[in-house]
Short mmCIF file of all heavy atoms in Angstrom, two decimals:
data_model
loop_
_atom_site.label_atom_id
_atom_site.label_comp_id
_atom_site.label_asym_id
_atom_site.label_seq_id
_atom_site.Cartn_x
_atom_site.Cartn_y
_atom_site.Cartn_z
N MET A 17 7.99 12.72 -8.15
CA MET A 17 7.60 11.59 -7.28
C MET A 17 8.68 10.51 -7.33
O MET A 17 8.94 9.93 -8.36
CB MET A 17 6.27 11.02 -7.74
CG MET A 17 5.74 9.94 -6.82
SD MET A 17 5.20 10.60 -5.24
CE MET A 17 3.58 11.22 -5.70
N ALA A 18 9.29 10.29 -6.22
CA ALA A 18 10.37 9.31 -6.17
C ALA A 18 9.82 7.97 -5.69
O ALA A 18 9.09 7.90 -4.73
CB ALA A 18 11.48 9.78 -5.27
N GLU A 19 10.18 6.95 -6.41
CA GLU A 19 9.80 5.61 -6.00
C GLU A 19 11.04 4.76 -5.87
O GLU A 19 11.96 4.87 -6.66
CB GLU A 19 8.85 4.98 -7.02
CG GLU A 19 7.50 5.69 -7.07
CD GLU A 19 6.56 4.96 -8.01
OE1 GLU A 19 6.93 3.90 -8.51
OE2 GLU A 19 5.46 5.46 -8.25
N THR A 20 11.05 3.92 -4.85
CA THR A 20 12.19 3.03 -4.67
C THR A 20 11.72 1.59 -4.79
O THR A 20 10.66 1.24 -4.29
CB THR A 20 12.84 3.23 -3.29
OG1 THR A 20 11.85 3.05 -2.28
CG2 THR A 20 13.39 4.65 -3.17
N PRO A 21 12.52 0.78 -5.47
CA PRO A 21 12.16 -0.64 -5.59
C PRO A 21 12.08 -1.30 -4.22
O PRO A 21 12.79 -0.91 -3.31
CB PRO A 21 13.32 -1.23 -6.40
CG PRO A 21 13.97 -0.06 -7.06
CD PRO A 21 13.74 1.11 -6.13
N GLN A 22 11.20 -2.25 -4.12
CA GLN A 22 11.10 -2.96 -2.85
C GLN A 22 12.41 -3.64 -2.52
O GLN A 22 13.08 -4.19 -3.38
CB GLN A 22 9.98 -4.01 -2.91
CG GLN A 22 8.62 -3.42 -2.57
CD GLN A 22 7.59 -4.54 -2.37
OE1 GLN A 22 7.76 -5.62 -2.89
NE2 GLN A 22 6.55 -4.28 -1.62
N GLY A 23 12.77 -3.58 -1.27
CA GLY A 23 13.99 -4.23 -0.85
C GLY A 23 15.19 -3.31 -0.89
O GLY A 23 16.25 -3.66 -0.42
N THR A 24 15.03 -2.14 -1.49
CA THR A 24 16.13 -1.20 -1.52
C THR A 24 16.07 -0.30 -0.30
O THR A 24 15.09 0.39 -0.10
CB THR A 24 16.09 -0.32 -2.79
OG1 THR A 24 16.16 -1.17 -3.92
CG2 THR A 24 17.24 0.65 -2.83
N LYS A 25 17.12 -0.35 0.48
CA LYS A 25 17.13 0.41 1.71
C LYS A 25 17.94 1.69 1.51
O LYS A 25 19.10 1.64 1.15
CB LYS A 25 17.74 -0.41 2.83
CG LYS A 25 17.71 0.31 4.17
CD LYS A 25 18.22 -0.62 5.26
CE LYS A 25 18.17 0.06 6.61
NZ LYS A 25 19.03 1.25 6.67
N LEU A 26 17.27 2.79 1.73
CA LEU A 26 17.97 4.07 1.61
C LEU A 26 18.28 4.63 2.99
O LEU A 26 17.44 4.59 3.88
CB LEU A 26 17.10 5.08 0.85
CG LEU A 26 17.05 4.93 -0.66
CD1 LEU A 26 16.19 6.02 -1.27
CD2 LEU A 26 18.44 4.96 -1.26
N ASN A 27 19.48 5.13 3.14
CA ASN A 27 19.84 5.81 4.37
C ASN A 27 19.50 7.28 4.23
O ASN A 27 19.37 7.80 3.12
CB ASN A 27 21.34 5.64 4.63
CG ASN A 27 21.70 4.18 4.87
OD1 ASN A 27 20.95 3.45 5.50
ND2 ASN A 27 22.83 3.76 4.34
N PRO A 28 19.36 7.95 5.35
CA PRO A 28 19.02 9.38 5.29
C PRO A 28 19.97 10.19 4.43
O PRO A 28 19.57 11.18 3.82
CB PRO A 28 19.11 9.81 6.76
CG PRO A 28 18.82 8.57 7.53
CD PRO A 28 19.43 7.45 6.71
N GLY A 29 21.22 9.77 4.37
CA GLY A 29 22.21 10.53 3.61
C GLY A 29 22.23 10.20 2.14
O GLY A 29 22.94 10.82 1.36
N ASP A 30 21.45 9.18 1.74
CA ASP A 30 21.43 8.80 0.33
C ASP A 30 20.45 9.66 -0.44
O ASP A 30 19.36 9.96 0.03
CB ASP A 30 21.00 7.33 0.19
CG ASP A 30 22.00 6.38 0.79
OD1 ASP A 30 23.18 6.76 0.91
OD2 ASP A 30 21.61 5.26 1.13
N VAL A 31 20.85 10.04 -1.65
CA VAL A 31 19.95 10.83 -2.48
C VAL A 31 19.26 9.95 -3.51
O VAL A 31 18.29 10.35 -4.14
CB VAL A 31 20.71 11.97 -3.20
CG1 VAL A 31 21.30 12.93 -2.19
CG2 VAL A 31 21.77 11.43 -4.12
N ALA A 32 19.77 8.74 -3.69
CA ALA A 32 19.19 7.83 -4.67
C ALA A 32 19.61 6.41 -4.35
O ALA A 32 20.60 6.21 -3.64
CB ALA A 32 19.65 8.21 -6.07
N PRO A 33 18.87 5.43 -4.83
CA PRO A 33 19.28 4.04 -4.60
C PRO A 33 20.61 3.74 -5.27
O PRO A 33 20.94 4.35 -6.28
CB PRO A 33 18.16 3.22 -5.28
CG PRO A 33 17.02 4.16 -5.42
CD PRO A 33 17.63 5.53 -5.57
N PRO A 34 21.39 2.81 -4.68
CA PRO A 34 22.65 2.43 -5.31
C PRO A 34 22.44 1.96 -6.73
O PRO A 34 21.48 1.27 -7.04
CB PRO A 34 23.15 1.27 -4.42
CG PRO A 34 22.48 1.48 -3.10
CD PRO A 34 21.14 2.12 -3.44
N GLY A 35 23.32 2.38 -7.63
CA GLY A 35 23.21 1.98 -9.02
C GLY A 35 22.50 2.99 -9.88
O GLY A 35 22.46 2.84 -11.10
N THR A 36 21.93 4.02 -9.26
CA THR A 36 21.27 5.06 -10.04
C THR A 36 22.29 5.82 -10.87
O THR A 36 23.32 6.22 -10.35
CB THR A 36 20.53 6.04 -9.11
OG1 THR A 36 19.58 5.32 -8.34
CG2 THR A 36 19.83 7.13 -9.90
N PRO A 37 22.01 6.00 -12.16
CA PRO A 37 22.94 6.76 -13.02
C PRO A 37 23.22 8.15 -12.45
O PRO A 37 22.33 8.77 -11.86
CB PRO A 37 22.20 6.85 -14.35
CG PRO A 37 21.28 5.68 -14.35
CD PRO A 37 20.88 5.47 -12.90
N ALA A 38 24.44 8.60 -12.63
CA ALA A 38 24.87 9.93 -12.18
C ALA A 38 24.94 10.04 -10.68
O ALA A 38 24.93 11.13 -10.12
CB ALA A 38 24.00 11.03 -12.76
N THR A 39 24.99 8.89 -10.01
CA THR A 39 25.19 8.92 -8.57
C THR A 39 26.33 7.98 -8.20
O THR A 39 26.68 7.09 -8.98
CB THR A 39 23.94 8.51 -7.79
OG1 THR A 39 23.63 7.16 -8.09
CG2 THR A 39 22.76 9.40 -8.14
N GLY A 40 26.87 8.16 -7.03
CA GLY A 40 27.94 7.27 -6.59
C GLY A 40 28.15 7.39 -5.11
O GLY A 40 27.58 8.26 -4.46
N GLU A 41 28.97 6.47 -4.59
CA GLU A 41 29.23 6.51 -3.17
C GLU A 41 30.20 7.63 -2.83
O GLU A 41 31.14 7.89 -3.56
CB GLU A 41 29.82 5.17 -2.71
CG GLU A 41 28.82 4.04 -2.78
CD GLU A 41 29.41 2.77 -2.18
OE1 GLU A 41 30.62 2.73 -1.96
OE2 GLU A 41 28.64 1.83 -1.95
N ALA A 42 29.94 8.27 -1.70
CA ALA A 42 30.83 9.31 -1.22
C ALA A 42 30.95 9.16 0.30
O ALA A 42 30.04 8.65 0.94
CB ALA A 42 30.27 10.68 -1.57
N PRO A 43 32.09 9.56 0.82
CA PRO A 43 32.24 9.49 2.29
C PRO A 43 31.14 10.27 2.99
O PRO A 43 30.79 11.37 2.58
CB PRO A 43 33.62 10.14 2.53
CG PRO A 43 34.34 9.99 1.24
CD PRO A 43 33.28 10.08 0.17
N CYS A 44 30.59 9.67 4.01
CA CYS A 44 29.52 10.33 4.75
C CYS A 44 30.02 11.62 5.39
O CYS A 44 31.05 11.61 6.07
CB CYS A 44 28.99 9.38 5.82
SG CYS A 44 27.75 10.13 6.87
N PRO A 45 29.33 12.73 5.14
CA PRO A 45 29.78 14.01 5.69
C PRO A 45 29.56 14.11 7.20
O PRO A 45 30.20 14.92 7.86
CB PRO A 45 28.92 15.04 4.95
CG PRO A 45 27.68 14.30 4.56
CD PRO A 45 28.13 12.87 4.32
N ASP A 46 28.67 13.30 7.72
CA ASP A 46 28.37 13.39 9.14
C ASP A 46 29.44 12.69 9.99
O ASP A 46 29.77 13.14 11.08
CB ASP A 46 27.00 12.78 9.44
CG ASP A 46 25.88 13.76 9.15
OD1 ASP A 46 26.12 14.71 8.38
OD2 ASP A 46 24.77 13.57 9.68
N CYS A 47 29.95 11.57 9.50
CA CYS A 47 30.91 10.80 10.28
C CYS A 47 32.27 10.72 9.59
O CYS A 47 33.16 10.03 10.03
CB CYS A 47 30.37 9.39 10.51
SG CYS A 47 30.13 8.45 8.98
N GLN A 48 32.41 11.47 8.48
CA GLN A 48 33.67 11.48 7.73
C GLN A 48 34.08 10.07 7.30
O GLN A 48 35.26 9.75 7.26
CB GLN A 48 34.79 12.14 8.55
CG GLN A 48 34.72 13.66 8.54
CD GLN A 48 33.62 14.17 9.46
OE1 GLN A 48 33.52 13.74 10.60
NE2 GLN A 48 32.79 15.07 8.97
N GLY A 49 33.10 9.24 7.00
CA GLY A 49 33.39 7.91 6.49
C GLY A 49 33.72 6.89 7.57
O GLY A 49 34.04 5.76 7.24
N LYS A 50 33.64 7.29 8.82
CA LYS A 50 33.99 6.35 9.89
C LYS A 50 32.83 5.42 10.23
O LYS A 50 33.01 4.33 10.75
CB LYS A 50 34.41 7.13 11.14
CG LYS A 50 35.74 7.85 10.96
CD LYS A 50 36.17 8.55 12.25
CE LYS A 50 35.21 9.65 12.63
NZ LYS A 50 35.70 10.44 13.78
N GLY A 51 31.62 5.89 9.99
CA GLY A 51 30.47 5.06 10.29
C GLY A 51 29.94 5.24 11.70
O GLY A 51 28.90 4.69 12.05
N THR A 52 30.69 5.96 12.48
CA THR A 52 30.25 6.21 13.86
C THR A 52 30.40 7.68 14.21
O THR A 52 31.28 8.37 13.69
CB THR A 52 31.06 5.38 14.87
OG1 THR A 52 32.45 5.68 14.73
CG2 THR A 52 30.85 3.90 14.65
N VAL A 53 29.53 8.16 15.05
CA VAL A 53 29.61 9.52 15.55
C VAL A 53 29.54 9.48 17.07
O VAL A 53 28.56 8.99 17.63
CB VAL A 53 28.46 10.39 15.00
CG1 VAL A 53 28.50 11.79 15.61
CG2 VAL A 53 28.54 10.47 13.48
N ASN A 54 30.58 9.95 17.70
CA ASN A 54 30.63 9.94 19.17
C ASN A 54 30.43 8.53 19.72
O ASN A 54 29.78 8.33 20.74
CB ASN A 54 29.58 10.89 19.75
CG ASN A 54 29.86 12.34 19.36
OD1 ASN A 54 31.01 12.72 19.21
ND2 ASN A 54 28.83 13.12 19.18
N GLY A 55 30.98 7.54 19.03
CA GLY A 55 30.91 6.18 19.52
C GLY A 55 29.62 5.46 19.20
O GLY A 55 29.44 4.30 19.54
N GLN A 56 28.71 6.16 18.48
CA GLN A 56 27.45 5.51 18.13
C GLN A 56 27.32 5.44 16.61
O GLN A 56 27.89 6.24 15.89
CB GLN A 56 26.27 6.30 18.71
CG GLN A 56 26.28 6.30 20.23
CD GLN A 56 24.98 6.82 20.80
OE1 GLN A 56 24.29 7.60 20.16
NE2 GLN A 56 24.63 6.39 21.99
N ARG A 57 26.55 4.48 16.15
CA ARG A 57 26.38 4.30 14.71
C ARG A 57 25.80 5.56 14.08
O ARG A 57 24.81 6.11 14.55
CB ARG A 57 25.45 3.11 14.44
CG ARG A 57 25.39 2.78 12.95
CD ARG A 57 24.60 1.52 12.71
NE ARG A 57 23.19 1.69 13.06
CZ ARG A 57 22.28 0.72 12.98
NH1 ARG A 57 22.65 -0.48 12.62
NH2 ARG A 57 21.04 0.94 13.29
N CYS A 58 26.44 5.97 13.01
CA CYS A 58 26.00 7.18 12.32
C CYS A 58 24.61 6.95 11.71
O CYS A 58 24.38 5.96 11.02
CB CYS A 58 27.00 7.56 11.24
SG CYS A 58 26.51 9.00 10.28
N ARG A 59 23.72 7.87 11.98
CA ARG A 59 22.36 7.71 11.47
C ARG A 59 22.26 8.16 10.02
O ARG A 59 21.34 7.76 9.30
CB ARG A 59 21.40 8.54 12.32
CG ARG A 59 21.20 7.94 13.71
CD ARG A 59 20.48 8.90 14.62
NE ARG A 59 19.20 9.34 14.04
CZ ARG A 59 18.40 10.22 14.60
NH1 ARG A 59 18.74 10.77 15.76
NH2 ARG A 59 17.27 10.58 14.05
N ASN A 60 23.17 9.01 9.61
CA ASN A 60 23.10 9.53 8.24
C ASN A 60 23.40 8.44 7.21
O ASN A 60 22.79 8.39 6.15
CB ASN A 60 24.06 10.70 8.08
CG ASN A 60 23.81 11.47 6.80
OD1 ASN A 60 22.67 11.79 6.47
ND2 ASN A 60 24.85 11.77 6.07
N CYS A 61 24.35 7.57 7.56
CA CYS A 61 24.77 6.52 6.61
C CYS A 61 24.48 5.14 7.17
O CYS A 61 24.85 4.15 6.57
CB CYS A 61 26.25 6.67 6.31
SG CYS A 61 27.30 6.46 7.77
N ASP A 62 23.83 5.08 8.32
CA ASP A 62 23.49 3.82 8.97
C ASP A 62 24.74 3.00 9.27
O ASP A 62 24.72 1.78 9.21
CB ASP A 62 22.52 3.02 8.10
CG ASP A 62 21.81 1.93 8.91
OD1 ASP A 62 21.63 2.12 10.13
OD2 ASP A 62 21.45 0.88 8.34
N GLY A 63 25.82 3.69 9.55
CA GLY A 63 27.03 3.00 9.96
C GLY A 63 27.88 2.48 8.81
O GLY A 63 28.89 1.84 9.03
N THR A 64 27.47 2.76 7.57
CA THR A 64 28.24 2.26 6.44
C THR A 64 29.45 3.16 6.14
O THR A 64 30.40 2.74 5.53
CB THR A 64 27.37 2.18 5.18
OG1 THR A 64 26.90 3.50 4.86
CG2 THR A 64 26.18 1.27 5.40
N GLY A 65 29.37 4.41 6.54
CA GLY A 65 30.47 5.33 6.28
C GLY A 65 30.41 5.96 4.91
O GLY A 65 31.24 6.80 4.57
N VAL A 66 29.47 5.51 4.11
CA VAL A 66 29.33 6.10 2.77
C VAL A 66 27.87 6.42 2.50
O VAL A 66 26.97 5.80 3.05
CB VAL A 66 29.84 5.16 1.65
CG1 VAL A 66 31.33 4.93 1.79
CG2 VAL A 66 29.10 3.84 1.69
N VAL A 67 27.65 7.40 1.66
CA VAL A 67 26.31 7.76 1.25
C VAL A 67 26.28 7.86 -0.28
O VAL A 67 27.31 8.03 -0.91
CB VAL A 67 25.86 9.10 1.86
CG1 VAL A 67 25.71 8.99 3.37
CG2 VAL A 67 26.81 10.22 1.50
N ILE A 68 25.10 7.73 -0.84
CA ILE A 68 24.96 7.86 -2.29
C ILE A 68 24.67 9.32 -2.61
O ILE A 68 23.69 9.88 -2.13
CB ILE A 68 23.82 6.97 -2.81
CG1 ILE A 68 24.01 5.53 -2.35
CG2 ILE A 68 23.75 7.05 -4.33
CD1 ILE A 68 25.30 4.89 -2.84
N GLN A 69 25.54 9.89 -3.41
CA GLN A 69 25.36 11.29 -3.76
C GLN A 69 25.38 11.45 -5.27
O GLN A 69 25.91 10.64 -6.01
CB GLN A 69 26.49 12.13 -3.15
CG GLN A 69 26.44 12.17 -1.62
CD GLN A 69 27.44 13.16 -1.07
OE1 GLN A 69 28.46 13.43 -1.69
NE2 GLN A 69 27.14 13.70 0.09
N GLY A 70 24.78 12.55 -5.71
CA GLY A 70 24.79 12.86 -7.13
C GLY A 70 26.18 13.29 -7.56
O GLY A 70 26.91 13.91 -6.81
N ILE A 71 26.53 12.91 -8.78
CA ILE A 71 27.84 13.29 -9.32
C ILE A 71 27.64 14.46 -10.27
O ILE A 71 26.90 14.36 -11.24
CB ILE A 71 28.49 12.11 -10.06
CG1 ILE A 71 28.68 10.94 -9.09
CG2 ILE A 71 29.81 12.52 -10.68
CD1 ILE A 71 29.18 9.67 -9.79
N ALA A 72 28.31 15.55 -9.96
CA ALA A 72 28.16 16.74 -10.78
C ALA A 72 28.90 16.60 -12.10
O ALA A 72 29.89 15.90 -12.20
CB ALA A 72 28.68 17.97 -10.03
N GLY A 73 28.39 17.26 -13.09
CA GLY A 73 29.04 17.23 -14.39
C GLY A 73 28.80 15.95 -15.14
O GLY A 73 27.87 15.20 -14.86
N GLY A 74 29.70 15.63 -16.06
CA GLY A 74 29.53 14.39 -16.83
C GLY A 74 29.14 14.74 -18.23
O GLY A 74 29.84 14.82 -19.13
ZN1 LIG B 11 27.85 8.56 8.49
#
């Protein structure tokens, strides 16, 4: 059961809230970090160009 603190906005491409251990920002795979797809704001990263992904290993 995943719970997110109030006020934390997750984008569809995020796997965890920012600051979660073993996660970090990565270029959005949908827009290649540009924040836009076909001239429109990327929905995967909400136009930020980055998504929160799990970091393998460690
Ligand atoms: Zn994107």
Side-chain angles (χ1 to χ4, degrees):
M17 185 70 80
E19 293 185 5
T20 56
Q22 274 191 336
T24 301
K25 183 175 181 298
L26 282 182
N27 296 322
D30 294 337
V31 298
T36 301
T39 64
E41 291 186 347
C44 176
D46 278 21
C47 62
Q48 281 76 48
K50 291 183 296 187
T52 57
V53 176
N54 296 328
Q56 296 192 334
R57 188 174 66 183
C58 178
R59 289 169 55 183
N60 193 46
C61 62
D62 198 29
T64 61
V66 296
V67 293
I68 307 300
Q69 293 188 332
I71 300 173

